[in-house]
Amino acid sequence: MFDDIPNKTPAIEPPQSLTWPELGPSCEINQFYTHFESASGFIGAGYIEVWERALLPETQRSAAVVYPGSFRFFASDGGGNMFGVTITEEGVKYLSAPNIGGLEDVRYFDSWSDLLAAIRDFNYI
């Protein structure tokens, strides 16, 4: 599930508690942060930097100025776009959102693998 993500830093004392309990233990980003602290590198044509777990509250506060507080941002492409997750009526959705933009610019993905495929193909904007 996380093999495609390069340069993963192991969590300090695995297993960690769930980062976002409301997303549940089966949510992939919760699983990521249970075992890893951060990661960065290219996935195909796209780049991802999964932020350190300790930085998430700060990034959440700054993103909440533009986006709903229910969006949980955890990564960026290093070039003005953030990746996150939220709960919708259909369930957990991953998303891509520009640092400067609004809800009309958000792109939703049905699964973790769909998000990674979009990053790999540089097709998330």
Side-chain angles (χ1 to χ4, degrees):
M1 172 180 340
F2 305 117
D3 291 342
D4 289 349
I5 300 177
N7 305 315
K8 294 177 289 294
T9 302
I12 298 168
E13 295 179 20
Q16 300 288 316
S17 61
L18 295 180
T19 304
W20 293 299
E22 71 274 16
L23 298 174
S26 63
C27 178
E28 293 87 352
I29 198 60
N30 270 339
Q31 291 177 26
F32 178 89
Y33 281 120
T34 299
H35 300 286
F36 302 103
E37 186 64 25
S38 65
S40 64
F42 282 92
I43 300 175
Y47 182 83
I48 187 170
E49 180 179 341
V50 181
W51 301 321
E52 290 181 19
R53 184 179 175 152
L55 298 176
L56 295 176
E58 178 184 328
T59 58
Q60 189 68 26
R61 281 190 299 276
S62 62
V65 172
V66 177
Y67 295 107
S70 61
F71 285 13
R72 304 292 185 234
F73 291 104
F74 58 85
S76 78
D77 67 355
N81 211 70
M82 299 181 291
F83 303 113
V85 64
T86 191
I87 298 174
T88 68
E89 291 179 9
E90 295 88 33
V92 172
K93 299 275 187 177
Y94 285 88
L95 58 96
S96 170
N99 292 348
I100 300 172
L103 283 175
E104 66 278 359
D105 301 312
V106 174
R107 194 152 166 225
Y108 295 90
F109 301 92
D110 289 331
S111 68
W112 172 254
S113 59
D114 289 347
L115 174 66
L116 293 181
I119 294 169
R120 183 178 305 108
D121 297 339
F122 202 71
N123 185 24
Y124 54 85
I125 297 174

